Amino acid sequence: MLRVQQLSVNGRRDELLPATSVQVRRGELLLVSGNRQDQRTALALALSGRLKPSGGHFEWDGAEWDGSSKIKTLRRASAVVDSPGVNEPEQHLSVRDLVTEDLALVPRHYRASLLSSPWLKVNRFEDIAGLWTEQLPAARRLELLTALALANPQTDLLVVDSPDRHGDPGDWLPRLEELAYDAGRPLAVVAIVMSLPAGWTGPAAAIGNAGSPSPVDPSTTSETEDAK
């Protein structure tokens, strides 16, 4: 389980991420809402151990750290998916080239058997291998990017940055639910979104909820547009 209490990140002038508390277990999909893209990305990077927090408390699988400690264990166990300005696919890349680049990032002792052509075939992406990444429909794009994240067998936590910027809930929610509830490889999945989908009754939180990491009522979450 990932449990974070009062996680915050200071920017150069203002607070980049206000104190936020969340928790998510393996076999669970948590949606976290926030109006601003910079705050959503900061949360995604901090939750996955890729951005040093200014304050807060982490717990991952029973191991605890305060906000000033290195959390390499969490970073190794997590993957950030499609974060704007961080690791979203470049538009000029073909799917085949993207797969080649991403598989090269898998830890070396798992990488030997991960060649792009066999991977594309086994994972049923041969039909889109020649397309530019910008040509992919939203649902297919997310399917590809999450599959690449999971090519690393160490990945137990997926943090998806703003999947709703590409389409409606039907384009991204079913895939994330499928991954979270997969009995063969149950994952802890966090999707950081602009607003919660209508009718969402699953675990939810909001950026800036500095209290205990308990779920919030989706009906109280703002439906405002992305302020960026």
Side-chain angles (χ1 to χ4, degrees):
M1 181 179 75
L2 174 68
R3 182 181 178 90
V4 176
Q5 294 178 297
Q6 298 188 352
L7 176 71
S8 64
V9 178
N10 294 333
R12 291 184 178 179
R13 297 183 180 87
D14 302 317
E15 193 174 44
L16 180 57
L17 177 68
T20 300
S21 299
V22 303
Q23 68 178 27
V24 61
R25 299 174 175 84
R26 283 183 175 84
E28 186 173 78
L29 168 61
L30 170 70
L31 303 188
V32 184
S33 61
N35 293 332
R36 290 172 46 181
Q37 181 65 71
D38 59 342
Q39 291 184 347
R40 294 196 298 273
T41 296
L43 179 60
L45 297 179
L47 286 180
S48 60
R50 287 160 173 80
L51 177 63
K52 184 178 180 179
S54 304
H57 178 83
F58 280 90
E59 179 182 338
W60 170 250
D61 280 357
E64 300 183 14
W65 306 270
D66 63 27
S68 62
S69 300
K70 294 181 179 180
I71 46 175
K72 293 181 179 179
T73 301
L74 176 60
R75 181 168 184 167
R76 285 195 296 265
S78 64
V80 177
V81 177
D82 200 21
S83 187
V86 180
N87 69 345
E88 64 182 338
E90 297 181 21
Q91 294 182 349
H92 71 275
L93 277 180
S94 70
V95 169
R96 187 179 301 278
D97 288 341
L98 172 66
V99 169
T100 299
E101 289 189 1
D102 278 21
L103 293 182
L105 300 176
V106 173
R108 184 169 300 177
H109 50 288
Y110 299 118
R111 197 187 309 159
S113 60
L114 294 177
L115 302 176
S116 59
S117 293
W119 189 92
L120 286 161
K121 182 176 182 179
V122 169
N123 290 277
R124 300 179 181 179
F125 292 115
E126 282 186 306
D127 60 313
I128 61 171
L131 296 180
W132 302 111
T133 56
E134 64 182 352
Q135 294 177 293
L136 296 178
R140 196 68 165 141
R141 172 194 175 98
L142 183 63
E143 183 183 2
L144 173 66
L145 295 180
T146 51
L148 284 168
L150 295 176
N152 181 354
Q154 293 180 310
T155 301
D156 292 317
L157 169 65
L158 280 183
V159 183
V160 186
D161 188 351
S162 310
D164 48 346
R165 76 188 191 275
H166 295 299
D168 298 326
D171 294 317
W172 54 270
L173 190 55
R175 171 62 173 173
L176 298 185
E177 290 179 316
E178 174 190 1
L179 293 174
Y181 307 140
D182 183 352
R185 187 180 179 181
L187 303 168
V189 182
V190 180
I192 307 171
V193 297
M194 289 177 271
S195 59
L196 301 182
W200 174 254
T201 59
I207 290 176
N209 65 328
S212 61
S214 56
V216 299
D217 182 352
S219 67
T220 66
T221 303
S222 170
E223 296 289 337
T224 55
E225 293 295 325
D226 182 16
K228 292 188 179 180

